[in-house]
Amino acid sequence: MKISVEAVSKRFIHHTIFRNVNLQFNTQESYALLGANGSGKSTLLRIIAGMQTPSKGKVFYADAGKPVPQEQVFRQISFCAPGMELIEEMTLTEVLQFHFSFKSILPGLSIARVIELTGLQSAAGKQIGDFSSGMKQRVKLAQAIFSHTPVLLLDEPCTNLDQQGVQQYTEWMTQYTRERLVIVASNELREYQFCRHKIHMTDLQ
């Protein structure tokens, strides 16, 4: 999938986050949106995901040269951010079953295999509400990375992860995202070191 950001601006009340941003993201490429906290990288990522509307401008999506209707964009994109909520009354197995009833799982994987990859086999029957913040982040990343979508958008993906979790994230990104368009919003090298293209929010102001 190809994503084009054309003359996009975002303003909250009297504060302009960014103005007249023009960017192009191409299939099978990896991009890092870089900037300090409050620089607008997370807001821009949500606009790219279609989760937030720009104040001005538009975002266009194309698959194999054909426009993707706005109502179909969500089927093409997987998204993960620290503020995302999981259904805490569900067990890990139930959460993944529910998620993958809406998004196809990557070929060759199963829910049991995804749980194994997270290293959370012993917690498969436990409610998400009993998970630590690091365990929840692993689940959020697994939902996004192991969904069969051409676009993967990650906002500060290593939040709450310990060193083992960061290593796990790095391995997943290396193995499961090579043929996808990946955009990572971050200010930490460990989260985006694999990205080929770097976009600094300060250059977009």
Side-chain angles (χ1 to χ4, degrees), residues 174-188:
T174 300
Q175 185 171 354
Y176 295 102
T177 68
R178 293 174 184 170
E179 297 182 357
R180 302 162 81 177
L181 165 56
V182 178
I183 308 175
V184 181
S186 177
N187 57 13
E188 293 193 28

Side-chain angles (χ1 to χ4, degrees), residues 63-110:
D63 185 17
K66 297 181 179 179
V68 177
Q70 188 67 43
E71 64 272 15
Q72 295 297 321
V73 169
F74 80 97
R75 298 183 182 277
Q76 310 293 321
I77 292 176
S78 292
F79 183 88
C80 177
M84 289 176 58
E85 296 291 337
L86 297 169
I87 303 174
E88 301 209 337
E89 293 76 18
M90 286 186 174
T91 66
L92 171 58
T93 299
E94 290 170 340
V95 162
L96 293 177
Q97 288 173 337
F98 180 71
H99 175 79
F100 290 116
S101 69
F102 293 96
K103 294 279 179 75
S104 298
I105 199 167
L106 284 176
L109 294 183
S110 63

Side-chain angles (χ1 to χ4, degrees), residues 24-192:
Q24 183 169 293
F25 302 96
N26 296 312
T27 185
Q28 298 186 20
E29 291 286 353
S30 54
Y31 302 82
L33 294 177
L34 306 178
N37 293 339
S39 62
K41 61 185 184 297
S42 296
T43 299
L44 180 57
L45 193 71
R46 288 193 294 269
I47 289 174
I48 293 168
M51 299 169 64
Q52 200 165 323
T53 56
S55 302
K56 293 183 179 179
K58 292 197 69 174
V59 180
F60 297 92
Y61 310 85
D63 185 17
K66 297 181 179 179
V68 177
Q70 188 67 43
E71 64 272 15
Q72 295 297 321
V73 169
F74 80 97
R75 298 183 182 277
Q76 310 293 321
I77 292 176
S78 292
F79 183 88
C80 177
M84 289 176 58
E85 296 291 337
L86 297 169
I87 303 174
E88 301 209 337
E89 293 76 18
M90 286 186 174
T91 66
L92 171 58
T93 299
E94 290 170 340
V95 162
L96 293 177
Q97 288 173 337
F98 180 71
H99 175 79
F100 290 116
S101 69
F102 293 96
K103 294 279 179 75
S104 298
I105 199 167
L106 284 176
L109 294 183
S110 63
I111 290 175
R113 177 57 178 154
V114 168
I115 293 174
E116 182 181 351
L117 286 168
T118 65
L120 298 174
Q121 300 96 311
S122 62
K126 293 182 179 180
Q127 290 185 328
I128 296 295
D130 294 328
F131 281 26
S132 68
S133 57
M135 293 167 70
K136 290 178 182 178
Q137 184 65 12
R138 289 190 190 196
V139 177
K140 295 174 191 178
L141 285 170
Q143 288 185 147
I145 295 172
F146 300 131
S147 290
H148 192 203
T149 59
V151 180
L152 177 62
L153 306 180
L154 304 175
D155 187 10
E156 299 181 350
C158 292
T159 299
N160 296 321
L161 294 183
D162 58 17
Q163 188 56 45
Q164 181 182 1
V166 173
Q167 179 62 35
Q168 188 178 62
Y169 159 77
T170 303
E171 292 172 359
W172 290 354
M173 296 304 289
T174 300
Q175 185 171 354
Y176 295 102
T177 68
R178 293 174 184 170
E179 297 182 357
R180 302 162 81 177
L181 165 56
V182 178
I183 308 175
V184 181
S186 177
N187 57 13
E188 293 193 28
L189 179 61
R190 63 181 184 171
E191 297 180 328
Y192 67 86

